[in-house]
Amino acid sequence: MKIKILVAAHKKFPMPNAEGYMPILVGAARNYKPGIEYQRDDEGENISSKNPNYNELTAVYWAWKNLKDVDAIGLVHYRRLFFDAKPYSLSNVLSIKKIEELLTQYDVILPKKRNYYIETNYSHYIHAHHKEPLDKTRDIIAQYYPNYLSNYDKVMRRTKAHMFNMFIMKRKAFDSYCQFIFDVLEKLEKEIDISDYSVQEARVFGYISELLMDVWLETNTFKLTEVKWEQLGGKKNLQKAVSLIKRKIGIKTKTHFS
């Protein structure tokens, strides 16, 4: 099985040297830096210039359109990676051998769910971001993907979700996921005006896509397993918990969704 795990980064950073891992410079069309010998997301068919709004999804789109000869595709981040066991370090990332073993039983590998405890996925989003894009997303799904709508509503009512746009998928699942995600987001682009959004809020399409992962997964028949993920350098859980409580009681913070 030929597997490629993209490691999304916007700058030069220590990378896994394990088999199958491919560092990719996201937003390369706007963010070119000499001396970074990563795969660029502005080669071939791409949406690299949309990186300020789509985040790491520009790497996903590049892989969808340009990696045609692989059996499975994954995406991790330069600091968030999948692990099978401790120690959580670049020399101990989830191996291709382990990924192959998992993909003999499952179609999709995702990070363990994030739990917001006192917030639903919907309330957590609108307390941190503009509400309109998420509501418009529901309208788009209702109109163009009605068979996804009940699962969309279920996901929004939950307090847990698979976040971060991290995954490893067999090709058939990956193609299905990309077709759904990018079609919905392209339609959403036409429905909302983000010209007055802050730099952070302008990343809206990347944020929305995180919540669409479970909507897509639960509407299709692909088999899922979860693996451990870790953020190198720490997750700042205490700061995030404080921000969550502040948003819950109506105090705006600058903490982003991920």
Side-chain angles (χ1 to χ4, degrees):
M1 183 179 288
K2 188 172 182 180
I3 301 169
K4 286 292 182 184
I5 311 299
L6 278 65
V7 187
H10 64 277
K11 60 184 178 181
K12 193 171 182 63
F13 203 82
M15 289 285 172
N17 60 5
E19 177 190 357
Y21 283 78
M22 175 191 286
I24 182 166
L25 182 66
V26 294
R30 296 169 175 253
N31 184 38
Y32 175 68
K33 294 181 173 64
I36 300 181
E37 297 179 355
Y38 301 164
Q39 172 61 53
R40 297 164 57 94
D41 72 350
D42 64 344
E43 297 178 351
E45 188 173 350
N46 69 85
I47 56 169
S48 178
S49 63
K50 293 185 177 183
N51 181 259
N53 311 122
Y54 274 68
N55 299 350
E56 62 279 341
L57 290 185
T58 58
V60 177
Y61 188 93
W62 179 86
W64 182 36
K65 296 298 184 179
N66 296 283
L67 287 182
K68 298 297 187 181
D69 61 341
V70 296
D71 303 304
I73 295 172
L75 181 79
V76 294
H77 303 257
Y78 68 99
R79 290 182 60 221
R80 292 188 184 121
L81 299 129
F82 290 124
F83 297 93
D84 187 34
K86 293 182 178 180
Y88 302 133
S89 68
L90 290 174
S91 61
N92 196 39
V93 294
L94 192 66
S95 69
I96 291 296
K97 180 180 178 181
K98 180 63 177 180
I99 292 167
E100 284 183 329
E101 290 175 4
L102 291 171
L103 291 179
T104 62
Q105 305 174 63
Y106 304 99
D107 303 301
V108 178
I109 301 169
L110 293 180
K112 292 184 181 297
K113 286 184 177 180
R114 189 172 184 179
N115 194 336
Y116 295 108
Y117 297 102
I118 61 174
E119 293 252 58
T120 65
N121 290 318
Y122 181 82
S123 66
H124 179 262
Y125 187 95
I126 67 171
H127 286 157
H129 303 295
H130 295 296
K131 179 174 179 286
E132 181 194 19
L134 196 54
D135 290 345
K136 287 288 187 181
T137 299
R138 188 185 189 280
D139 293 342
I140 289 166
I141 289 174
Q143 180 175 354
Y144 295 99
Y145 292 90
N147 57 317
Y148 284 71
L149 187 59
S150 63
N151 283 320
Y152 178 90
D153 289 338
K154 288 177 186 175
V155 169
M156 293 304 133
R157 290 194 294 266
R158 291 180 190 152
T159 60
K160 295 181 180 181
H162 293 105
M163 302 303 294
F164 312 125
N165 288 326
M166 291 172 61
F167 60 81
I168 304 167
M169 299 183 190
K170 288 182 180 175
R171 185 80 215 198
K172 183 178 179 181
F174 180 69
D175 287 342
S176 170
Y177 165 74
C178 289
Q179 185 64 53
F180 171 66
I181 289 288
F182 289 112
D183 189 50
V184 170
L185 296 179
E186 183 179 4
K187 289 177 169 59
L188 182 60
E189 278 192 78
K190 298 172 182 176
E191 293 290 329
I192 61 174
D193 179 6
I194 65 171
S195 59
D196 64 345
Y197 281 19
S198 68
V199 171
Q200 179 177 300
E201 284 302 299
R203 298 165 66 188
V204 57
F205 304 109
Y207 295 147
I208 292 287
S209 70
E210 292 183 87
L211 288 175
L212 291 180
M213 173 65 80
D214 285 341
V215 177
W216 165 78
L217 186 66
E218 295 182 27
T219 308
N220 293 279
T221 57
F222 299 110
K223 292 180 65 178
L224 161 74
T225 189
E226 296 177 341
V227 296
K228 175 67 177 176
W229 69 275
E230 192 59 48
Q231 180 168 313
L232 302 182
K235 301 179 190 176
K236 300 181 180 179
N237 286 335
L238 179 58
Q239 288 177 245
K240 291 178 180 178
V242 171
S243 294
L244 179 61
I245 293 168
K246 284 182 177 180
R247 291 198 299 270
K248 181 69 174 175
I249 61 177
I251 301 173
K252 292 291 184 180
T253 74
K254 294 183 179 181
T255 303
H256 64 71
F257 193 50
S258 296

